[in-house]
Amino acid sequence: MPSDAFNQAAESVQSLTVKPTDDELLSLYGLFKQATVGDNTTPKPSVFDLKGKYKWNAWDKLKGKSQEDAEKEYIELAESLVAKYSN
């Protein structure tokens, strides 16, 4: 179950007024999925589904990382993005 700090970090990222880079968004996505679901056991998307493939790879490369560690890294990344992109 995600912590309050994790939920607050997820909410803060949703309210950014400037969109983070694609790489930053993929890192957030991968860490979010690893923290909330655990290791990626879903089949790899079709070669024609580029967006799905990038998201799948971002999550899959975190295989083996504990959900607790992924949650901590997600919070750190979210806080750095809020600091970077807030006016």
Side-chain angles (χ1 to χ4, degrees), residues 75-86:
I75 293 167
E76 290 171 9
L77 178 57
E79 288 173 349
S80 73
L81 293 177
V82 167
K84 181 178 179 181
Y85 292 114
S86 291

Side-chain angles (χ1 to χ4, degrees), residues 59-78:
W59 180 17
D60 197 59
K61 74 179 181 181
L62 298 173
K63 206 170 255 188
K65 182 181 292 286
S66 75
Q67 287 182 269
E68 293 79 17
D69 286 347
E71 183 175 313
K72 288 177 194 166
E73 289 181 34
Y74 180 90
I75 293 167
E76 290 171 9
L77 178 57

Side-chain angles (χ1 to χ4, degrees), residues 4-71:
D4 288 341
F6 179 81
N7 290 329
Q8 288 174 340
E11 286 178 29
S12 68
V13 170
Q14 294 295 320
S15 62
L16 289 174
T17 55
V18 176
K19 183 182 176 205
T21 67
D22 289 344
D23 286 342
E24 290 167 336
L25 289 172
L26 286 170
S27 293
L28 276 174
Y29 175 82
L31 287 167
F32 183 88
K33 293 295 279 186
Q34 189 69 21
T36 57
V37 178
D39 286 346
N40 183 355
T41 58
T42 62
K44 191 169 187 172
S46 157
V47 70
F48 300 108
D49 180 6
L50 292 178
K51 184 177 179 182
K53 190 171 78 170
Y54 284 121
K55 290 170 77 173
W56 188 91
N57 285 335
W59 180 17
D60 197 59
K61 74 179 181 181
L62 298 173
K63 206 170 255 188
K65 182 181 292 286
S66 75
Q67 287 182 269
E68 293 79 17
D69 286 347
E71 183 175 313

